Amino acid sequence: FAAMMWKTFILKTFEATAHLMEKVGKTPKERLCRKELEMTDGHLENFLNFCCHILNIILESNVPAEVEDRPNFPVENFWHGHENTGHPPLIAMALNQKPCSNHQVYFHLMLANVLHLIVTFQMKNIKPLGLFSTLGKKAFFRELTYHIQVSAEREEQGLSSSRNQFLLRATAAVAQSLPEIDPQCEGSVDQADYPAASRKFSCILDLARGWELDLDEIRRHYVCELYSGGQDLLAQEVKSAVVDKALLSSQLLLLVGQRIHKIIFDSSNPAGRLGCLAPDVVAFLNKLGDMPLRCSNVPLSTTSILVDQILAYLPEESREHKLATGIRDSLPNLMQMVSKSS
């Protein structure tokens, strides 16, 4: 039934949406949506979410269709002799459909997810169809029974960079969609928005798998964005899936430096606070400069936990490990000075 719904009621609107967003490079404004899609821009996100949902249903229901026998539905005696009168029942029409191609369904699901991400996070300057190869685009908006060439998406290697940039932008948007926390209230982070963010990030990872991109780079980017927003609890959950934890720790060491830099140089007595730090830590902070953090007032006690986690993955003989050790040893004195001045 889902495949019939897609073909009869959804496909044309989905196609029009994709072409319209390709033309404007962003979420269309209400006037265009009403004219081209016969819906408001406010309903576009729900429509694309429904497209993703129904394509997932088709994909999941297609698995038993390939391995199980066709079901047999007996007809009641009342209908014997009247089988050829009137319209065929929906169940018969559904059973007589050709099986959908998993590759074709998944291909449309990828496009639906791309469009949904663009609309959800109001991303701009993105041509969604441009993220797919020339041969691959020829399969779009055909019957779901169409058998796509599996190798079509591997022919244009230049696409990898634009796809990767799109997913990194979407990843940052997911992290930035989380509400700001009160940095002064430790342990009071509202986690109600975490499941929605996790679902969106899972969608991004699914796209990365389909495009055969580096999932670890995307996970590292997400972790850094979460820490930048002060979402340390969620970042710790995502961090467990990162493979190259040494590289991630190097990136997070810079973020730790940014947090400390903000606390020191935004105070009325930066020289006094710098005196709590080791010389190599001071030199490190001076090189950083004033780099932006979305949440710049994370408690030092929380940052101290992050430093301990960083030290666990940095090579002990590395210069970064020595620097992180210096930061860890300096934090108690700095925390004491900050608490006295507050």
Side-chain angles (χ1 to χ4, degrees), residues 259-321:
R259 287 183 176 181
I260 297 174
H261 184 281
K262 193 75 175 175
I263 288 174
I264 289 176
F265 290 98
D266 281 5
S267 69
S268 58
N269 183 23
R273 293 186 176 185
L274 282 173
C276 299
L277 307 178
D280 56 338
V281 177
V282 174
F284 168 64
L285 294 179
N286 287 330
K287 288 180 181 178
L288 282 179
D290 190 13
M291 301 175 71
L293 285 172
R294 294 201 317 281
C295 182
S296 58
N297 198 22
V298 178
L300 280 172
S301 57
T302 303
T303 301
S304 179
I305 295 172
L306 176 56
V307 173
D308 288 336
Q309 295 169 351
I310 288 172
L311 279 167
Y313 296 107
L314 287 175
E316 290 188 9
E317 303 301 323
S318 67
R319 187 173 61 86
E320 290 176 323
H321 189 279

Side-chain angles (χ1 to χ4, degrees), residues 17-298:
T17 302
H19 286 305
L20 182 59
M21 291 179 65
E22 177 77 6
K23 180 180 179 181
V24 300
K26 59 180 181 179
T27 303
K29 293 185 178 180
E30 183 170 0
R31 181 183 61 82
L32 274 176
C33 285
R34 288 185 180 276
K35 179 182 177 182
E36 303 291 337
L37 309 177
E38 298 182 352
M39 71 174 80
T40 65
D41 55 339
H43 290 104
L44 192 55
E45 182 179 345
N46 289 335
F47 169 71
L48 291 171
N49 184 53
F50 176 71
C51 290
C52 295
H53 183 61
I54 198 166
L55 287 168
N56 267 311
I57 290 175
I58 297 171
L59 203 58
E60 292 169 3
S61 63
N62 207 35
V63 175
E66 295 179 350
V67 298
E68 294 180 1
D69 294 332
R70 175 174 169 168
N72 181 30
F73 294 95
V75 180
E76 295 182 23
N77 293 332
F78 175 81
W79 295 107
H80 284 306
H82 302 279
E83 292 87 347
N84 296 324
T85 60
H87 296 288
L90 281 175
I91 189 68
M93 293 174 63
L95 288 173
N96 289 329
Q97 290 183 111
K98 292 181 180 179
C100 296
S101 163
N102 279 340
H103 288 297
Q104 178 73 337
V105 177
Y106 182 65
F107 202 46
H108 280 80
L109 177 59
M110 291 178 74
L111 177 59
N113 280 325
V114 167
L115 298 177
H116 191 226
L117 287 170
I118 293 172
V119 172
T120 300
F121 299 114
Q122 294 296 302
M123 301 172 70
K124 297 181 179 180
N125 301 318
I126 295 173
K127 302 288 188 180
L129 294 177
L131 297 172
F132 297 86
S133 70
T134 304
L135 287 176
K137 280 184 280 193
K138 292 181 180 179
F140 278 140
F141 319 122
R142 292 174 178 252
E143 297 274 355
L144 293 181
T145 56
Y146 177 77
H147 287 277
I148 184 175
Q149 298 179 35
V150 180
S151 61
E153 276 299 283
R154 301 178 183 174
E155 294 182 4
E156 298 178 23
Q157 297 298 325
L159 286 173
S160 294
S161 177
S162 57
R163 290 168 173 172
N164 200 56
Q165 287 302 313
F166 167 72
L167 293 184
L168 290 177
R169 283 182 60 187
T171 297
V174 172
Q176 292 166 18
S177 69
L178 291 167
E180 293 186 7
I181 63 172
D182 183 354
Q184 302 304 322
C185 299
E186 296 182 59
S188 65
V189 181
D190 183 7
Q191 300 184 30
D193 295 280
Y194 283 6
S198 296
R199 285 193 297 271
K200 290 289 190 301
F201 184 60
S202 295
C203 168
I204 291 171
L205 291 179
D206 286 341
L207 285 169
R209 289 188 191 95
W211 285 332
E212 299 182 356
L213 300 176
D214 184 359
L215 272 67
D216 211 48
E217 179 185 359
I218 294 171
R219 287 194 180 101
R220 291 195 305 270
H221 187 65
Y222 189 41
V223 170
C224 291
E225 287 289 340
L226 289 172
Y227 274 117
S228 177
Q231 299 284 354
D232 289 38
L233 291 177
L234 181 55
Q236 289 175 32
E237 294 179 16
V238 180
K239 187 167 58 177
S240 62
V242 172
V243 176
D244 194 344
K245 289 186 170 63
L247 177 55
L248 175 62
S249 296
S250 297
Q251 295 172 310
L252 293 179
L253 186 59
L254 293 174
L255 187 139
V256 166
Q258 293 166 22
R259 287 183 176 181
I260 297 174
H261 184 281
K262 193 75 175 175
I263 288 174
I264 289 176
F265 290 98
D266 281 5
S267 69
S268 58
N269 183 23
R273 293 186 176 185
L274 282 173
C276 299
L277 307 178
D280 56 338
V281 177
V282 174
F284 168 64
L285 294 179
N286 287 330
K287 288 180 181 178
L288 282 179
D290 190 13
M291 301 175 71
L293 285 172
R294 294 201 317 281
C295 182
S296 58
N297 198 22
V298 178

